[in-house]
Amino acid sequence: MTRVAAIDCGTNSIRLLVADGETQGERVILNDLTRQMRIVRLGQGVDRTGRLAPEAIERTLAAVREYKRMIDNLGATDIRFVSTSAMRDAENRQEFIEPVKNLLGVYPEVVPGTEEAALSFAGAASSVHAYDRGKVLVVDIGGGSTEMVVGTLGKGVDAAYSADMGSVRVTEKFFAGCASDQPIPDGVQAQASEWIDARLDEAEEIVDFSSVRGVVGVAGTITTIAAHVLGLASYQPEKIDGAFLSHADTDASVRFMLEQPLAVKAALGFMPEGRADVIAGGALIWKRVMDRVTLRCENTNHPIAGAHVSEHDILDGIALSMLARR
């Protein structure tokens, strides 16, 4: 077995997976030692300013220091640190890269959106077995970007697109001026939906939604929606992983996230601290993606009933990529 530490540094959160890799036939199995998430909002204001804010850098470095202690305690010596949307957009990214390199002894990689998408697909494919035939669409909604990947489980990626839309980006662009104790106004929702749909138009130039036979949703927005659909009192990944969200389930949960006051959402037992204020933006993206994919599949006479949810995503893909190069 090989012990690896994978770090996914996104726009809203930074996450750690330390796992042992074990080969079973042609498959590599990850045996988790720890999974951690801290919401640090590294991408605070990046869409507007093009720069990482000093306070956001410090919040994220504090989490990196904490993760370093965990990595050392668990004895992992092979580390891969992957940064995504916020770092791609920030002109002062070196102010974050250098201290991370000094702390961990590895250079933080700022990966292109296509690689981010492929890593997300690999992570989801490692655990989802609901679609053993035909193509599947993996959707990863982050804080700054949304990855949409079509491929076949066990065979790999056919096409991938990374759209510059995410829960934080939509919130800062459209919802920041809305009252926190009131529903997002219909007019604001319509403006945000039109903008999201334009990003999906661009995605469809690369990714064929009509070809898929199923959808798998990964990452915090979608797993939080799943927790709401399941009526969980606390966040329980073992119940969320593999859950199926019907269209009615998704629509009801998205309406809740758009209409309920911030205080109500923040008080939910499964809602991580720091996600409640951006969950509406991510939920709206999920609805527009599912509406688009559903329409395309109906038009080609293979309707889909909803989407599966996976707790395995880019973090698993990063860990698997480390094991594959050994």
Side-chain angles (χ1 to χ4, degrees), residues 3 9 18 27 46 50 78 81 115 122 124 136 150 160 193 197 229 231 242 255 269-272 294 302 307:
R3 184 161 296 180
C9 184
V18 179
R27 297 181 62 205
V46 168
D78 195 355
F81 188 110
E115 183 175 355
V136 61
V150 170
S193 295
D197 289 346
V229 167
R255 282 197 302 275
F270 56 77
M271 184 71 69
T294 300
H302 56 273

Side-chain angles (χ1 to χ4, degrees), residues 64-263:
V64 174
R65 294 184 192 101
E66 184 182 4
Y67 287 172
K68 177 63 164 65
R69 291 192 291 272
M70 295 179 188
I71 291 168
D72 289 346
N73 288 338
L74 290 169
T77 56
D78 195 355
I79 304 171
R80 186 179 182 193
F81 188 110
V82 169
S83 301
T84 54
S85 178
M87 289 283 281
R88 288 196 293 267
D89 294 348
E91 62 185 35
N92 65 330
R93 65 180 71 91
Q94 208 63 32
E95 294 176 20
F96 178 70
I97 286 174
E98 287 301 326
V100 170
K101 182 181 176 183
N102 292 336
L103 282 168
L104 297 179
V106 297
Y107 195 86
E109 302 172 48
V110 183
V111 298
T114 50
E115 183 175 355
E116 181 181 357
L119 289 169
S120 293
F121 185 88
S126 70
S127 67
V128 174
H129 306 294
Y131 308 106
D132 53 3
R133 294 181 181 179
K135 297 184 188 302
V136 61
L137 171 69
V138 172
V139 181
D140 181 343
I141 300 173
S145 66
T146 294
E147 280 60 56
M148 291 159 279
V149 197
V150 170
T152 304
L153 300 183
K155 294 183 179 179
V157 173
D158 292 331
Y161 187 79
S162 179
D164 284 336
M165 62 178 181
S167 60
V168 174
R169 203 181 294 263
V170 168
T171 300
E172 291 184 350
K173 272 184 176 296
F174 298 100
F175 299 166
C178 299
S180 64
D181 61 346
Q182 298 292 324
I184 304 295
D186 290 344
V188 176
Q189 290 187 42
Q191 291 174 350
S193 295
E194 183 178 0
W195 182 83
I196 292 167
D197 289 346
R199 310 286 81 73
L200 294 178
D201 291 342
E202 297 167 357
E204 284 199 277
E205 295 179 9
I206 306 296
V207 176
D208 182 7
F209 291 157
S210 70
S211 69
V212 306
R213 297 300 186 268
V215 180
V216 178
V218 303
T221 287
I222 300 169
T223 58
T224 300
I225 288 172
H228 180 252
V229 167
L230 294 170
L232 300 182
S234 61
Y235 194 89
Q236 298 173 264
E238 68 280 3
K239 293 185 177 180
I240 294 168
D241 192 39
F244 183 77
L245 304 182
S246 70
H247 296 314
D249 289 336
T250 293
D251 287 349
S253 186
V254 170
R255 282 197 302 275
F256 179 92
M257 299 304 174
L258 288 165
E259 294 175 358
Q260 290 298 312
L262 176 61

Side-chain angles (χ1 to χ4, degrees), residues 3-4 17-20 30-36 74-76:
R3 184 161 296 180
V4 297
L17 168 62
V18 179
D20 289 331
L30 293 175
N31 298 310
D32 295 7
L33 298 174
T34 189
R35 281 181 188 260
Q36 300 287 330
L74 290 169

